[in-house]
Amino acid sequence: MFRFVIRRLLVVLPLLFASSVLTFLLVTNIGMPKKIEDAMARPNFSQQQVDSLRRQFGIDKPPFERYKNWVTDFVKGDWGTNQNGIEIRPLLWERMQVTVRLLLAASIMSVVLGVLVGIIGAIRQYTAFDYSMTFFAFLFFSIPAAVLAGFLKEFGAIKLNPWLREPSISTPIAIGIAVFGLVAGLLIMRNRYKYERERPLSKVIVGAVAGFGIAVGCLLVFTLVWGGNLYRAGNPKPLISTVGQTTPGFEGTLWETVQDYFWHMILPTTALVMIGFAGYSRYMRASMLDVMTSDYVRTARAKGLKERRVTVQHGVRNALIPLITIVALDFGALLSGAIITETIFGWAGMGRFFTEALTEKDPRSLLAFVMVTAVSVVVFNLIADIIYAQLDPRIRLD
Amino acid sequence: MALLEVNNLNVRFPTEDGVVHAVRDVSFTVDRGEVLGVVGESGSGKSVTNLAMMGLLPRSTRIDGSIKYNGDELVGLPRKRQTKYRGNELGMIFQDPMTSLNPVYTIGWQIAEAVRAHQDVSKKEAVGRAVELLELVGIPQAAKRVESYPHEFSGGMRQRVMIAMSMANSPQVLIADEPTTALDVTVQAQILETLVDIQQRTNIAIILITHDLGVVAGMADRVLVMYAGAAVELGAVDDIFYRPRMPYTIGLLGAIPSEASDGQKLRQIKGATPSLINMKPGCAFSARCPLVFDRCLTETPVLEAVDEPGHLSACHLRHEIDPVSVRSLFSPEVIAEVDA
Amino acid sequence: MEDREFSVAARSQRRTIARRFLRHRPAIVSLVVLTAITLFVFIFPIFWEWPFTKRDKTALSQPPSWDHPFGTDELGKDVLGRVMRGTQRSLEIALIAAFLVTIIGVTLGAIAGYFRGWIDAVIMRFTDLILTLPLLIVVAVVSVGYPGSPWYTIPVILGLFAWTTLARIVRAEFMSLREKEFVEAARAVGARDRRIIFKHILPNLAGPIIVAATLSIAGTIITETALSFLGLGVRAPDVSLGLLIQESLTAFKTRPWLFWFPAVAIVTVCLSVNFIGDGLRDAFDPKQNRIKA
Ligand SMILES: Nc1ncnc2c1ncn2[C@@H]1O[C@H](COP(=O)(O)OP(=O)(O)OP(=O)(O)O)[C@@H](O)[C@H]1O
Ligand code: SF4
Ligand SMILES: [Mg+2]
């Protein structure tokens, strides 16, 4: 393992070097920083002013020298200041924490959801569940993040918040939920015995009753607990927030802070989860189908194992291997910011850092950002490899 | 009562192209301690018949007829109760040992899992049993190799592991579906030897599916010949090889390269097997049979007795057939030579 | 003789694939919808009296009506004309990018997988390098750096940076296929590398390649929307679906027609493409279609 990491670093370092060159070329071609452009646009600008600004941005020297200086400073940890004279490194660090908080929650949820739905979709292939989940996955794939986030803002917050403050369920909807539970329970049990010779009516009835019971139970819990205003108490603000990652200037107990985080995270997390879910559920379904039709799963069945054990120990265990590495890779790539989502919901994360740096055309910020991104991709690549080797004994690290 | 009794077994797969009738009215029995060879061209339903006995066909498969193990009906058994027989009373090994073992678990783990599926023993005891089983199938240093992963074994060794695993609960029947097809010639002999050895030691009944008629002649007590999903001939090994009563069997035997012919050539009966979707009435072999006559096209022959006891053939001419003259009808135009 | 047999087998296989695809109902419906949309947005504008730049000064910010079925924007531009033009542009962008992705991905993947050794190492390190630079970032930076560049710079850059996944798929397939008997046989009779690559290996990869190419069309449309949302995509006076979304996102509540028509257009096009991709995948890879045991 240690040797593996060392060996990989030998590959990674030249890679990062090449990446830094490419980054540098990219960023130097972006043109003058906006501040200098603005200065030059002023009628009475002096060449001196511009020169001093150029010095300030560090673009007064020939490219090669600039590159050398930048790399040495970057490695030393001196990432310079941005157009407003703010230290870049602490700023980026702060922004990264915000992004990670969002991503971590969203990734975990989309992986859990995607994996569950993928598994069920594969072992209950071509059922109503499978078809509808396939449809939703494709739908989420096909909605641009901007549109999705716009929807969520409108329907998830503006429409839902008043309801959340005064939660109530009308009788027709309550009946609808109960009927849904009944039908779902019935269909699930019917499907379960679809191919068996005797289809025990009693089991199907039990399923329907259980589904109905669960639905009614949920409704009861809702009226008793939630309807009894758990969240309403002393919270006059809109609950689901559409802007920012925290309420500005918010101070409270730990519990209140957590709540504040929670209500701010709901919408962007939902947006990211929907997109992530689409990918992971499809991936997991394909992977699971592949494994469940494999020879070794047939062997596991031939041993006389219970179907549940076959599915979990042999099916899921093997199907997860490629998925987990994909998740690690995605996480590395996403660290550059869920730019669209962050922008729409006004989160000051990596995405905001990037868009700001881009409008200002601030070379140091852009360089730092792209390099951090590259490093995160490389690091998570490494992590993905290590996870893969841990999960699959055929892969050896040394 | 025979150990295993299959009666009028029918297997149908609903597919996008129509219903594939993969096994049609197959009946046969397997006695304790005997070796039944099953032969037939690719696609003749050998695997499907045996997977049906194991309960390993997809859920959507329609299975009719009866499969009785020790008097217990297996067809239509709820999935849950099938697991009581699978791996416990009937074991199975497959064609490709390279892919038949789960790559992420050790050999010992996988065998122990089979043991614990049917026996109430501790993990440690199960691993101990795994070591014994590996010794039984001739894996050296078994105590150490239980820690190995499948990829650390050669193909032949993996097939031994598969055999060991299928024997974990001392089943009464072992189904071996082309156990040596994927292996090197030298390894093939070793695996077959292992099977013979185990059969003699445990008196287990073996159903041996194979394309290798030589192996059948050497190992089997009785032979079942299948064609297009149907059992077309069944009998003692000598009856099948010396007194075949079904043109297909005769053609199949003729297809073994004889000593006279070039050893490099593999011979085959000309023509293709009929589609298993929407089968017409009549003998399925009629399109390729040199003896075909009008009755063959309208009336489906069923498996019926011929002279020798226990010898059955599904051919309208089963009483009249003379193997030697039929064989001459098969060559050389009817039997195509293909490059091996 | 051998060649003919091969082609007969290939033809019947192609027919099976076509049949399987035709049976995939969502894919067929999608194909019809997508074809209809494509024909419509490329042909109908010729007859439509409101090109995307023309202003109807008598109808500013009007909801859908007979004269303007999709309504007008605040400058009196016809939304139907703009959506048609935007769809056109988005499709063009997607096709160019998908074309480049396919060409580059297949070429590099094939070379790496077939020749292996140092060539493979170089190509794969290059792939790793490209992967360190997120696509959106690169396009955004270039877009800001060269503000006057024409619309097709976007798909070209997208294509130049998005081929990595396909290259990896093709490479892996080549690695395993080049060991197969039929390739060995071709090599034994002295076929040259080029012939082996194009005649013997690539046809076997048609499935994954076509599927990847299809899906990258949908991916590009989504990416273009993201770019336009950040103001870095297609620029006015030209329009793309992404740009229309970006312009109308704030008008979501006051003039919903500005938002809904382009939004529905994007989702319909992408959904169709995704379903077609799914149908193709099923048709080429029947293994996924049924559980064996
Ligand atoms: N799950 C399935 N769905 C549809 N058809 C199937 C399925 N499994 C098998 N078949 C069909 O059933 C027929 C019999 O197949 P089977 O595997 O039993 O042949 P076999 O005699 O074992 O051939 P081989 O010697 O090649 O192993 C074949 O035509 C096959 O295509
Ligand atoms: S029944 Fe007729 S066609 Fe069938 S094998 Fe006998 S002779 Fe041939
Ligand atoms: Mg078989």
Side-chain angles (χ1 to χ4, degrees):
Chain A
M1 172 83 168
F2 179 70
R3 263 174 53 202
F4 168 77
V5 174
I6 296 294
R7 236 190 18 209
R8 273 303 292 263
L9 282 180
L10 291 181
V11 181
V12 160
L13 290 178
L15 185 67
L16 282 177
F17 169 72
S19 187
S20 73
V21 174
L22 215 61
T23 304
F24 185 79
L25 286 177
L26 208 63
V27 173
T28 38
N29 275 306
I30 200 170
M32 283 284 163
K34 191 151 173 301
K35 229 176 169 178
I36 300 185
E37 275 179 356
D38 288 351
M40 283 160 68
R42 257 178 258 130
N44 54 346
F45 87 97
S46 70
Q47 192 55 44
Q48 237 166 346
Q49 266 176 321
V50 173
D51 284 346
S52 97
L53 273 174
R54 285 172 74 103
R55 214 166 310 120
Q56 193 187 319
F57 279 106
I59 54 171
D60 52 337
K61 302 202 178 68
F64 183 71
E65 208 182 324
R66 279 173 57 197
Y67 175 76
K68 211 179 62 192
N69 290 345
W70 166 60
V71 168
T72 38
D73 285 352
F74 187 88
V75 172
K76 273 190 278 181
D78 176 13
W79 298 2
T81 54
N82 70 4
Q83 73 282 347
N84 297 330
I86 298 171
E87 279 278 336
I88 290 175
R89 202 157 61 114
L91 182 66
L92 198 55
W93 176 240
E94 187 195 311
R95 296 296 174 84
M96 195 172 352
Q97 284 171 321
V98 172
T99 294
V100 167
R101 199 168 71 216
L102 179 62
L103 277 184
L104 210 57
S107 293
I108 291 173
M109 280 202 281
S110 49
V111 170
V112 170
L113 255 179
V115 164
L116 285 179
V117 166
I119 292 172
I120 301 175
I123 57 182
R124 295 273 176 268
Q125 202 186 4
Y126 300 145
T127 55
F129 178 87
D130 183 31
Y131 281 125
S132 47
M133 286 303 139
T134 300
F135 177 78
F136 278 120
F138 281 148
L139 186 66
F140 296 156
F141 264 142
S142 308
I143 304 183
V147 175
L148 187 62
F151 278 167
L152 283 175
K153 245 181 163 166
E154 174 66 19
F155 297 108
I158 296 165
K159 293 249 157 62
L160 200 61
N161 268 331
W163 186 83
L164 278 177
R165 228 166 287 133
E166 214 58 66
S168 70
I169 294 180
S170 66
T171 318
I173 291 180
I175 293 176
I177 291 174
V179 170
F180 174 81
L182 186 116
V183 173
L186 189 138
L187 285 181
I188 289 172
M189 284 318 256
R190 207 193 61 152
N191 245 327
R192 167 158 244 165
Y193 292 95
K194 192 167 168 191
Y195 297 118
E196 247 148 62
R197 196 158 283 191
E198 72 254 39
R199 186 184 298 165
L201 188 65
S202 59
K203 294 250 165 94
V204 178
I205 292 174
V206 166
V209 170
F212 183 74
I214 290 171
V216 171
C218 290
L219 285 172
L220 273 179
V221 169
F222 170 82
T223 36
L224 291 181
V225 179
W226 225 45
N229 67 22
L230 192 65
Y231 292 100
R232 247 188 305 164
N235 200 344
K237 290 193 306 294
L239 290 168
I240 298 179
S241 162
T242 55
V243 180
Q245 66 273 31
T246 50
T247 309
F250 182 86
E251 274 186 46
T253 62
L254 180 67
W255 172 235
E256 282 163 348
T257 315
V258 169
Q259 275 194 336
D260 186 55
Y261 273 9
F262 175 79
W263 291 116
H264 279 87
M265 272 171 78
I266 283 190
L267 286 188
T269 311
T270 311
L272 290 176
V273 166
M274 281 162 95
I275 296 168
F277 158 81
Y280 295 141
S281 69
R282 293 310 289 167
Y283 199 90
M284 186 64 188
R285 180 180 180 272
S287 175
M288 189 73 186
L289 276 178
D290 224 30
V291 172
M292 290 308 278
T293 52
S294 70
D295 286 352
Y296 57 80
V297 164
R298 187 182 54 189
T299 304
R301 290 208 175 97
K303 288 198 258 191
L305 302 179
K306 300 240 158 33
E307 190 60 26
R308 175 180 296 270
R309 191 177 168 97
V310 173
T311 311
V312 176
Q313 292 280 336
H314 294 270
V316 177
R317 168 66 172 76
N318 284 268
L320 275 179
I321 298 174
L323 186 92
I324 289 178
T325 57
I326 292 268
V327 172
L329 292 178
D330 276 358
F331 199 88
L334 265 177
L335 209 62
S336 62
I339 297 182
I340 307 297
T341 311
E342 282 184 14
T343 309
I344 290 190
F345 292 108
W347 275 53
M350 293 283 279
R352 161 91 62 94
F353 183 95
F354 174 67
T355 44
E356 281 170 0
L358 199 62
T359 13
E360 292 293 338
K361 295 198 268 181
D362 176 43
R364 286 205 195 91
S365 296
L366 284 172
L367 285 173
F369 177 84
V370 182
M371 252 353 256
V372 165
T373 304
V375 171
S376 87
V377 169
V378 167
V379 166
F380 277 93
N381 241 311
L382 191 68
I383 293 177
D385 282 349
I386 293 172
I387 295 178
Y388 202 104
Q390 290 301 320
L391 293 177
D392 190 337
R394 282 170 298 183
I395 313 289
R396 283 291 198 71
L397 288 186
D398 334 89
Chain B
M1 186 180 59
L3 181 60
L4 200 57
E5 272 178 51
V6 177
N7 265 310
N8 298 91
L9 181 69
N10 277 283
V11 179
R12 294 180 181 86
F13 299 106
T15 68
E16 296 174 329
D17 307 295
V19 177
V20 176
H21 199 165
V23 175
R24 299 178 296 128
D25 264 331
V26 168
S27 305
F28 63 94
T29 58
V30 182
D31 286 321
R32 264 166 229 286
E34 81 165 335
V35 176
L36 175 74
V38 182
V39 296
E41 273 169 310
S42 203
S44 55
K46 307 183 295 291
S47 299
V48 171
T49 305
N50 286 283
L51 288 170
M53 295 194 277
M54 291 293 288
L56 287 178
L57 291 171
R59 280 156 56 94
S60 59
T61 315
R62 274 159 45 204
I63 305 173
D64 303 290
S66 150
I67 300 168
K68 282 211 168 84
Y69 172 83
N70 238 341
D72 303 345
E73 179 61 60
L74 300 186
V75 173
L77 215 56
R79 288 257 143 185
K80 276 219 181 88
R81 275 198 278 151
Q82 283 177 1
T83 55
K84 206 180 108 200
Y85 296 92
R86 226 189 274 157
N88 195 20
E89 309 285 351
L90 302 109
M92 185 157 181
I93 58 175
F94 303 97
Q95 181 173 341
D96 193 353
M98 303 311 276
T99 53
S100 290
L101 291 162
N102 192 327
V104 307
Y105 298 114
T106 61
I107 300 297
W109 190 96
Q110 296 188 53
I111 300 179
E113 187 187 36
V115 173
R116 279 162 57 88
H118 302 284
Q119 298 171 40
D120 190 16
V121 295
S122 72
K123 275 200 180 134
K124 219 169 146 202
E125 286 168 306
V127 173
R129 174 94 177 106
V131 175
E132 285 171 32
L133 286 161
L134 289 177
E135 278 163 358
L136 178 76
V137 295
I139 287 185
Q141 293 179 297
K144 235 177 77 195
R145 302 302 312 252
V146 285
E147 304 283 336
S148 309
Y149 287 95
H151 70 272
E152 294 163 321
F153 281 67
S154 68
M157 282 301 193
R158 287 192 217 185
Q159 197 61 297
R160 282 171 201 271
V161 172
M162 283 296 291
I163 297 174
M165 196 148 74
S166 65
M167 297 298 296
N169 298 292
S170 319
Q172 296 291 310
V173 183
L174 176 62
I175 300 171
D177 190 347
E178 304 188 32
T180 57
T181 310
L183 301 174
D184 288 345
V185 186
T186 47
V187 185
Q188 286 183 0
Q190 293 169 11
I191 294 294
L192 292 171
E193 223 165 88
T194 309
L195 279 177
V196 171
D197 181 50
I198 284 177
Q199 204 265 333
Q200 278 163 359
R201 272 205 254 176
T202 59
N203 200 33
I204 190 174
I206 295 185
I207 300 179
L208 179 67
I209 303 171
T210 177
H211 286 274
D212 192 335
L213 293 173
V215 169
V216 175
M219 273 182 74
D221 301 309
R222 290 193 306 134
V223 180
L224 173 69
V225 183
M226 292 192 69
Y227 183 77
V232 292
E233 191 162 9
L234 176 64
V237 66
D238 286 351
D239 290 340
I240 298 292
F241 277 87
Y242 298 115
R243 294 172 287 278
R245 294 305 188 105
M246 161 78 198
Y248 175 67
T249 313
I250 298 167
L252 202 63
L253 293 170
I256 318 177
S258 62
E259 280 150 57
S261 78
D262 186 346
Q264 292 302 312
K265 300 287 183 185
L266 190 82
R267 300 158 97 202
Q268 217 176 49
I269 307 169
K270 265 197 183 157
T273 42
S275 157
L276 298 175
I277 300 171
N278 296 327
M279 291 201 71
K280 288 183 256 331
C283 176
F285 189 55
S286 55
R288 301 163 80 185
C289 179
L291 301 181
V292 60
F293 64 111
D294 45 6
R295 200 175 143 208
C296 307
L297 301 177
T298 52
E299 192 183 322
T300 313
V302 291
L303 211 53
E304 275 173 297
V306 286
D307 305 344
E308 302 84 13
H311 188 180
L312 308 159
S313 156
C315 171
H316 296 313
L317 297 176
R318 63 186 172 283
H319 294 297
E320 292 91 54
I321 278 182
D322 166 26
V324 180
S325 66
V326 178
R327 186 167 304 177
S328 70
L329 289 174
F330 268 111
S331 54
E333 311 82 37
V334 188
I335 295 183
E337 300 208 327
V338 275
D339 287 313
Chain C
M1 170 65 200
E2 216 185 272
D3 253 21
R4 213 187 66 216
E5 249 170 44
F6 180 74
S7 72
V8 169
R11 206 174 319 137
S12 82
Q13 200 195 349
R14 231 172 293 154
R15 217 173 299 138
T16 325
I17 291 168
R19 201 172 25 132
R20 276 201 294 257
F21 181 76
L22 287 174
R23 222 178 270 130
H24 197 287
R25 223 167 295 151
I28 288 303
V29 172
S30 301
L31 190 62
V32 171
V33 169
L34 189 65
T35 315
I37 291 180
T38 310
L39 290 178
F40 180 74
V41 300
F42 277 95
I43 294 173
F44 192 65
I46 302 172
F47 309 105
W48 186 236
E49 55 173 318
W50 300 103
F52 70 104
T53 44
K54 192 167 158 193
R55 296 173 56 185
D56 181 354
K57 300 215 172 81
T58 63
L60 307 183
S61 288
Q62 288 302 303
S65 65
W66 276 116
D67 292 340
H68 302 282
F70 284 11
T72 58
D73 68 7
E74 65 283 357
L75 296 176
K77 290 185 203 156
D78 178 61
V79 177
L80 173 60
R82 290 176 73 72
V83 168
M84 287 193 296
R85 166 64 174 214
T87 312
Q88 233 181 54
R89 258 292 170 269
S90 290
L91 284 174
E92 283 163 357
I93 289 175
L95 285 176
I96 294 177
F99 178 76
L100 283 176
V101 163
T102 311
I103 296 292
I104 302 175
V106 170
T107 312
L108 289 184
I111 293 175
Y114 186 80
F115 293 106
R116 297 190 291 193
W118 66 269
I119 300 181
D120 177 38
V122 168
I123 293 180
M124 285 338 276
R125 290 296 84 73
F126 182 56
T127 313
D128 287 346
L129 174 62
I130 296 292
L131 274 174
T132 59
L133 300 170
L135 189 60
L136 201 59
I137 309 284
V138 175
V139 193
V141 170
V142 172
S143 180
V144 168
Y146 299 91
S149 46
W151 66 271
Y152 50 79
T153 23
I154 295 165
V156 168
I157 294 166
L158 284 177
L160 288 180
F161 279 85
W163 47 265
T164 46
T165 318
L166 183 57
R168 286 184 164 180
I169 297 173
V170 172
R171 169 180 176 268
E173 296 281 340
F174 257 81
M175 290 248 175
S176 74
L177 280 176
R178 63 162 281 153
E179 307 298 333
K180 291 272 155 68
E181 292 89 1
F182 66 94
V183 174
E184 302 271 290
R187 203 172 293 136
V189 299
R192 269 169 310 163
D193 288 336
R194 212 177 47 174
R195 192 179 156 78
I196 295 178
I197 290 176
F198 284 105
K199 278 268 167 190
H200 295 272
I201 302 185
L202 263 186
N204 287 295
L205 290 183
I209 292 172
I210 292 175
V211 171
T214 312
L215 295 182
S216 80
I217 291 180
T220 311
I221 294 180
I222 298 288
T223 311
E224 190 273 327
T225 314
L227 281 172
S228 291
F229 175 77
L230 298 173
L232 304 168
V234 165
R235 275 161 229 269
D238 203 349
V239 288
S240 69
L241 288 177
L243 193 61
L244 287 173
I245 293 285
Q246 192 258 338
E247 287 171 357
S248 62
L249 210 56
T250 45
F252 190 87
K253 259 180 294 176
T254 49
R255 285 162 294 160
W257 62 90
L258 289 183
F259 170 80
W260 282 105
F261 288 110
V264 168
I266 290 191
V267 174
T268 314
V269 169
C270 289
L271 201 55
S272 309
V273 173
N274 278 322
F275 271 119
I276 293 171
D278 193 46
L280 288 171
R281 187 182 3 234
D282 276 5
F284 280 112
D285 180 18
K287 197 181 65 193
Q288 296 263 307
N289 268 338
R290 62 173 194 218
I291 289 199
K292 250 188 292 175

